[in-house]
Amino acid sequence: MRDTRESRLLLVLLIAIAFALITVDIRGGEESPVDGARQAAATVFGPIENGVATAVDPVGNAIGAVRDSGNRHDRISTLEQENAALKAKLGSDDRTNSRVRQLDAMLKNAGAGQYGIKGAEVIAIGAAQGFSWTITIDAGSDDGIRRDMTVLNGEGLVGRVTTVGPGTATVLLANDPDFTVGTRMEKTDELGFATGQGSRPLSVQFLNGKAKVKAGDRLVTFGSSKDKPFVPGVPVGEVVRVDPSGGALTRTVYVKPYVGFTKLDIVGVVVQAPRQDPRDMVLPKQPAKAKPKPTPTVTVTVQPNGDLVDGSGKVVGNTDEQQGGDAAGDQAGQNQAGDAPPGTADNEE
């Protein structure tokens, strides 16, 4: 297409329509008029993403099989093959152990909060659905996943489901600038709203501009009406910085999220909310503060012969020796007074 006035007008028009659709989609929520098209895209591309993720290991195996074929079976080739197989096995074991730890931590969190969850694996990342911080998981409507469900892992709040296909779903991560969640502070119950800031800490505005907040304070989700999109009690993060209110009605603090959004693998979608608010039960236990060491005391008893004996029965001194030392000290003091320069008394008089 030539660079003409008509082509430039067409480009501007298409950009304007795209922004209009994005605005309508964000404001429309579940009633968005483009929700059907988005779900259709998830239906078409979801199985492709899932198939690509599943095919990674078979492709590696196929490459290994091709490498093993041929007529060269000398000693060097055999050693190279054994070395490659050993590295692959070790790598697979490390990844398996990591996934087991993630799954175990997630199940513990789900048990503490009484959440009914559906486990899923992250199979894609990126802006496929128009968001900047999203992931695609290998669970969809066929698995009971619905839009606006809470997503968590063994560390805390991951995000919420935005688009659902038959076998996959898109999750908007909690650090996305379009993500906002109601929060409640541990113990004090101060309420606020956390907003994602990409790779930076979450920005939280407290409703009480005079709320007492300090670094290290912890936050959980407050929960939503009918538990959508957020169930209560999911750990969000810890306060790392507090900005003075400056007379404003709200107060802004910065919270480091518990979840590492760049290394997500195993997640859980909350398909059944808890019967009651778990409050702070899902938060990890705080490490116990070290108690100050007591100052040791030594008990000394005086024996009839004047010996000083400690609690273990060891003689540590004698009263006669101490008295003798005191007497010697007094005598030395008198000698010093007697050795005073002549005429000192006359001068004082």
Side-chain angles (χ1 to χ4, degrees):
M1 180 183 292
R2 294 182 179 179
D3 185 12
T4 62
R5 181 178 180 182
E6 290 77 7
S7 62
R8 280 179 283 179
L9 288 175
L10 179 60
L11 178 61
V12 171
L13 180 60
L14 291 174
I15 294 174
I17 293 174
F19 276 109
L21 289 174
I22 293 173
T23 302
V24 170
D25 182 32
I26 294 175
R27 294 183 176 180
E30 293 186 355
E31 305 299 329
S32 171
V34 299
D35 187 53
R38 185 170 55 245
Q39 292 184 2
T43 302
V44 173
F45 294 106
I48 298 176
E49 293 175 332
N50 201 356
V52 170
T54 305
V56 170
D57 289 340
V59 169
N61 295 335
I63 293 174
V66 172
R67 183 183 302 167
D68 293 343
S69 63
N71 297 324
R72 299 186 59 185
H73 296 289
D74 54 23
R75 182 61 178 167
I76 295 177
S77 177
T78 302
L79 290 175
E80 288 179 349
Q81 295 168 12
E82 292 177 354
N83 190 25
L86 180 59
K87 287 182 178 180
K89 184 178 185 301
L90 290 175
S92 176
D93 289 345
D94 290 342
R95 185 167 187 266
T96 299
N97 293 335
S98 174
R99 291 161 68 88
V100 168
R101 289 193 298 269
Q102 293 179 51
L103 182 60
D104 181 62
M106 184 177 68
L107 292 177
K108 287 181 178 178
N109 279 352
Q114 295 298 303
Y115 306 125
I117 63 172
K118 172 67 178 180
E121 180 182 356
V122 177
I123 59 175
I125 59 174
Q129 306 295 333
F131 298 108
S132 55
W133 290 85
T134 61
I135 57 174
T136 302
I137 59 176
D138 62 349
S141 57
D142 293 344
D143 305 291
I145 308 300
R146 300 290 182 267
R147 182 172 177 171
D148 284 337
M149 284 184 169
T150 307
V151 183
L152 50 78
N153 67 359
E155 299 171 320
L157 179 67
V158 173
R160 62 179 176 87
V161 177
T162 56
T163 305
V164 182
T168 61
T170 302
V171 178
L172 179 66
L173 300 181
N175 64 335
D176 188 276
D178 290 332
F179 187 97
T180 300
V181 58
T183 62
R184 179 181 57 78
M185 186 183 293
E186 180 186 16
K187 297 180 180 178
T188 64
D189 291 340
E190 292 287 352
L191 302 181
F193 293 95
T195 302
Q197 297 192 115
S199 58
R200 296 179 295 168
L202 305 177
S203 172
V204 180
Q205 287 192 336
F206 281 94
L207 301 183
N208 180 8
K210 298 181 180 180
K212 294 182 179 180
V213 189
K214 65 182 183 303
D217 286 343
R218 306 189 296 178
L219 286 79
V220 299
T221 56
F222 177 67
S224 307
S225 175
K226 298 181 180 180
D227 300 310
K228 284 190 175 184
F230 303 109
V231 294
V234 181
V236 176
E238 292 186 4
V239 175
V240 293
R241 196 177 91 223
V242 181
D243 282 353
S245 59
L249 297 178
T250 59
R251 191 173 190 179
T252 302
V253 302
Y254 296 92
V255 173
K256 180 181 179 180
Y258 287 121
V259 172
F261 297 104
T262 60
K263 51 182 181 180
L264 292 171
D265 187 8
I266 303 297
V267 299
V269 182
V270 180
V271 295
Q272 183 176 359
R275 295 183 178 179
Q276 59 183 7
D277 189 344
R279 306 293 293 176
D280 304 327
M281 295 296 294
V282 190
L283 283 169
K285 292 183 179 180
Q286 293 276 33
K289 295 182 179 180
K291 296 182 179 180
K293 295 182 178 180
T295 303
T297 58
V298 179
T299 303
V300 179
T301 58
V302 181
Q303 300 298 318
N305 61 355
D307 288 342
L308 301 176
V309 181
D310 62 11
S312 63
K314 182 180 179 181
V315 178
V316 296
N318 188 280
T319 56
D320 294 337
E321 294 176 356
Q322 290 188 350
Q323 290 176 358
D326 294 340
D330 294 341
Q331 184 64 37
Q334 292 176 3
N335 292 338
Q336 290 179 359
D339 293 342
T344 303
D346 297 339
N347 291 340
E348 289 181 353
E349 292 177 356

